[in-house]
Each structure stands twice: as structure tokens, then as C-alpha cells.
Amino acid sequence: MKKELTREQYLDLYYYMRLNRAVEDMMVKLFRQNKIVGGLYSSLGQEAISVGTAYALEKKDWLAPMIRNIGALLVKGVRPRDVFMQHMAKYDSPTKGKDGTSHFGDLDNLHIVSPISMLGDLIPVMTGVAMAGRYLGQKIVAMTWIGDGGSSTGVFHEGLNFAAVQKAPFVLILENNLWAYSTPVRKQVPLENLADRAKAYGIDSYIVDGNDVVAVFSTAKEAVERARAGEGPILIEAKSFRRMGHAQHDPAEYVPKEMRAYWEARDPIALYEKFLTGEKLLDAKGRKEIEERINTLLAEERDFAENSPMPPPEFAETGVYCTGDDCHKIRAKWERPIAEVTPPRSSVEAVWTVPGFGSGKGSGGAHAPIHFGDTPPAEERSASERKPANTGKPAMKVTTKTASKKTVKTPAASASRKARR
């Protein structure tokens, strides 16, 4: 850890990590009292990732959390009572008791997109949010998270490729916590660093110790500012460990005891407390004040949540579908002249030739010609150009008609077309 932040920033990171853990500890108690009706997923040992990355965002930026990113919600401004009531399916919860887990957001004020259960699907969604913000001139950055297992889904690759092509101001945090439910990373991915997957899409990536909150924040801050400056999406792999099972019902007996012991000794809050103490940023008095502040807050938030009523039965049939303005009003918030993105000022000259296309080397090292629709017709080419290579096989020539001219397609092009089919 490096001493680069202000004292207030250092203590903010500490407070939010402690609050993250205390909120989840409180929910475990509520779960055991049978007051939580939905699933409960722990981020024990991963608090530095959620807190450090979300803390790097500005208020105007957007995020979409996953089930282990309660810390990010707290940093963004979500109250603990909302987290409690959401899991208790109370009427005063963000979803009015219609969801028993973390599927809620705040589009108007906090700029939070609700989580999606299908792993990886938030990547194209947040790419779209990032593109929309750029179109409206808002200069925002969008962020979401994915686990090591979720990075093996098709939509992870489709979404990241889409973000790369569009140079979207988007930051993806890949939480490599070593276990995709009960499957270890080495059984699902033949890579040492999952960040290497960014290379396939021509985007930059970082690898960071996910248990070092200062390193996580510093890395995320740099990535966010680069994305905001127009450098396109960036992938951050944060290496950590999932110290609890997939959910409360999972005892995680498949995890070797030695592995668990190793990572418990690298608890991110304990490591950070040692750093803060060594830098004389936190002493016993300061630690006690923060603990009392959190305990007082959570006692009030829990009481409010427990006293909130359950939704009335007649409410079940409402709110299933959005009915327009009477449901919620969302309007584009322009921060640039609309004329800049409407014709004729937005017109782009049509380009038919692409630099770098035409020929290249195949994976086997052989010459790989590429032919487009502007290939000269066969009758305009010399006999020597049309002469096939001496391969011992009869030459093949396929001629197709277009509206204005004939196009000659080579055996290589024909074979490539068949392979695509």
C-alpha cells in the first residue's frame, strides 16, 4: 500500500469496508432469525474490491452491481435500511417487497442499474449506458463487475467486444475469487491471468491485488479517468478469494482448509488497519469511534427495516409492467447541443476501402489474399494473373453477378465462405 490519498480518503475507504462487513453480518443474523425471505450472498474477504472500485467513480457515473457488491452500493449512497428491507421483502423497500434479494437500482439520483441474474448480461447493458452518456455529452463512465466463472459466458465476450469496437467509456471489474460456485478457476480457464482475455479485443487491462484497497482504488481511478478521456473500455482483474460458500445454503466444504486459512490471514480489513496504524492515520480511539458510528447507524436502520410493513395483497397485481409516465419518468438529459448529433453536422462520409485490408498472413504463415466487391472482373485481368498455382489440383473459379459487374471469387474465398456456413 502506498501513501497517496488524503487522510479523509483513507478513512473513507476504511469506513465503507467496515460498513460493508457489518451490514452483511447483520443480514446473517436476520437470515438465521428467518426474517430474510430471499437468498443471501456474502462478500466476506472481497470488501476491498467493491469499495475501492466504486470509490473511484464520480457522482455522475453509473454502476451496476452484482450480488457480492453491497459495498459498491453503500459507497454510491444506498442506505443500509434499503438493503435490509429489500432482502426482507418489505413494502418500504426499493422494489416495494417484490424482490427478496439485490435486484434493485436507482436511475434518477444514484445512477444505479439493477443487477441481472444472468451472468455477464450487465456488460452489454452498461456498455449501452456508457455510449448513451457519451451521445448526450455527459462525459460519464459506466462500471460493472463479473466473477471468474461469469467471464466464461458468451455474453461476457460479446459484450466486451461490443464495448471495444464502440470505444465505450466502460470499466469492467473481473473479481477472480478462485471459485465459480464449486468449480476452481484452474478447471474452467487455461490462463494464469484472466486479464489476458482483454487482448483479444484490443483493449488494455490491469491486474491488482483485490485485498489491497488502496491498490484497488488507485488502479480503478486510473482506469476510470482513461475511459473518461476517450481511451475506450478497460478490464481490471482483481485477485481475491471467496471465503464463504456461494450463498448461505452452501457450506463450501469443497474448499481445501489450507487455502481458506491462507486467505483468512490476508483479510483486507485487517491488512488495511495495519497500514493505517503504521502510517499514523488510525489509532485505537479512531477505530472505536468508527465502530460506534457504524453500530449506531445499523441499529437504527435495522429497526426501521423490521418495523416496515409487508406489502398488501392487492399490491401483487400492480407494477408488473411499466405503463409510462405514471410508472416513472425518464427523459434524456442533454448536455450538448442536439444539432451535433443530427444531420448534417453528424453526417459521416461513406468509405468503401479499409486501410490494412487486402492481404495478410494466415495463422499457418501462408499468404492469405482477401477479395472484396471491387476485385477487377475476370476479363480485365491478364492470363498470368488468372493462372492458378501448381498445386496438383484442378483450379476452381466461381463467378457471381452483381448489379453492375462480375466478381471473381478465389478458391480461398470460397473455402472461407463454406467454413462460415
Side-chain angles (χ1 to χ4, degrees):
M1 297 181 183
K2 299 180 181 179
K3 189 173 181 180
E4 301 171 341
L5 287 69
T6 66
R7 175 184 173 84
E8 181 182 5
Q9 288 175 317
Y10 279 119
L11 294 181
D12 271 354
L13 291 172
Y14 179 68
Y15 169 78
Y16 282 116
M17 281 205 296
R18 290 292 302 269
L19 181 61
N20 183 170
R21 184 165 295 185
V23 166
E24 292 192 8
D25 286 345
M26 181 70 73
M27 287 202 294
V28 170
K29 295 177 182 178
L30 293 171
F31 183 88
R32 291 173 178 172
Q33 294 170 1
N34 206 30
K35 294 177 180 179
I36 284 182
V37 301
L40 188 59
Y41 306 87
S42 173
S43 68
L44 180 65
Q46 297 177 223
E47 296 91 347
I49 301 176
S50 294
V51 170
T53 52
Y55 197 73
L57 297 173
E58 295 183 8
K59 184 177 180 180
K60 65 181 179 181
D61 294 330
W62 287 70
L63 61 77
M66 291 183 66
I67 56 177
R68 303 188 202 282
N69 299 124
I70 285 179
L73 294 175
L74 297 171
V75 170
K76 207 65 164 82
V78 173
R79 300 173 299 179
R81 67 177 60 179
D82 290 332
V83 177
F84 294 154
M85 291 189 296
Q86 186 69 19
H87 285 78
M88 297 166 75
K90 292 301 187 79
Y91 185 63
D92 294 323
S93 72
T95 58
K96 300 296 182 183
K98 293 195 172 184
D99 181 79
T101 183
S102 57
H103 300 101
F104 71 97
D106 184 339
L107 302 181
D108 290 330
N109 301 312
L110 300 182
H111 297 167
I112 299 173
V113 175
S114 298
I116 299 174
S117 293
M118 291 72 70
L119 297 181
D121 283 67
L122 281 170
I123 297 172
V125 168
M126 296 310 289
T127 297
V129 170
M131 292 169 60
R134 179 175 60 193
Y135 184 77
L136 296 171
Q138 296 175 352
K139 295 189 179 299
I140 63 164
V141 173
M143 176 183 288
T144 191
W145 294 258
I146 191 68
D148 47 271
S151 71
S152 296
T153 61
V155 73
F156 167 91
H157 298 278
E158 295 169 6
L160 202 54
N161 182 72
F162 178 49
V165 169
Q166 298 296 329
K167 291 187 70 70
F170 169 64
V171 176
L172 176 62
I173 313 300
L174 201 169
E175 298 180 275
N176 185 350
N177 58 28
L178 300 180
W179 292 90
Y181 208 125
S182 58
T183 302
V185 174
R186 66 181 182 275
K187 293 290 187 180
Q188 58 162 317
V189 181
L191 294 172
E192 179 180 354
N193 299 313
L194 300 182
D196 288 347
R197 289 181 154 172
K199 297 178 182 178
Y201 310 108
I203 65 174
D204 286 341
S205 64
Y206 294 87
I207 298 173
V208 66
D209 179 356
N211 287 29
D212 182 340
V213 69
V214 176
V216 171
F217 165 74
S218 300
T219 302
K221 188 67 174 177
E222 181 175 326
V224 165
E225 294 311 312
R226 289 181 60 188
R228 197 186 312 279
E231 294 189 37
I234 294 177
L235 172 67
I236 299 175
E237 179 188 358
K239 294 181 182 290
S240 186
F241 175 72
R242 196 194 72 208
R243 282 168 55 184
M244 298 292 286
H246 176 69
Q248 281 293 314
H249 62 268
D250 174 22
E253 294 177 350
Y254 42 81
V255 177
K257 294 180 179 179
E258 296 79 10
M259 175 182 281
R260 187 184 303 282
Y262 170 83
W263 284 97
E264 286 177 349
R266 300 196 71 256
D267 182 273
I269 295 180
L271 289 176
Y272 195 44
E273 283 182 347
K274 183 177 181 181
F275 167 78
L276 293 176
T277 301
E279 296 294 335
K280 300 188 183 306
L281 295 167
L282 182 70
D283 55 19
K285 179 182 177 181
R287 185 184 300 110
K288 184 177 180 181
E289 289 175 351
I290 291 175
E291 289 177 356
E292 291 178 349
R293 176 185 169 192
I294 291 174
N295 291 338
T296 299
L297 171 65
L298 293 191
E300 295 174 352
E301 298 291 275
R302 180 202 61 212
D303 289 344
F304 185 95
E306 291 195 274
N307 291 326
S308 174
M310 298 300 288
E314 59 271 17
F315 186 66
E317 65 178 0
T318 65
V320 179
Y321 300 101
C322 176
T323 54
D325 286 350
D326 60 332
C327 174
H328 60 279
K329 296 181 180 181
I330 299 179
R331 298 289 183 270
K333 298 177 181 178
W334 289 94
E335 295 187 17
R336 70 190 296 185
I338 300 179
E340 291 183 2
V341 291
T342 53
R345 293 179 63 180
S346 66
S347 299
V348 178
E349 182 181 358
V351 178
W352 296 99
T353 58
V354 183
F357 277 57
S359 64
K361 294 289 186 180
S363 60
H367 187 63
I370 305 174
H371 293 268
F372 295 101
D374 56 357
T375 302
E379 58 268 20
E380 297 178 10
R381 301 173 64 193
S382 66
S384 60
E385 289 177 319
R386 298 198 306 271
K387 186 176 180 180
N390 185 15
T391 62
K393 298 181 180 180
M396 178 176 65
K397 180 174 68 176
V398 179
T399 303
T400 59
K401 292 184 178 181
T402 65
S404 59
K405 60 185 179 181
K406 296 180 180 179
T407 300
V408 176
K409 297 189 181 294
T410 65
S414 179
S416 175
R417 190 171 65 255
K418 289 181 179 178
R420 288 196 300 272
R421 289 202 292 263

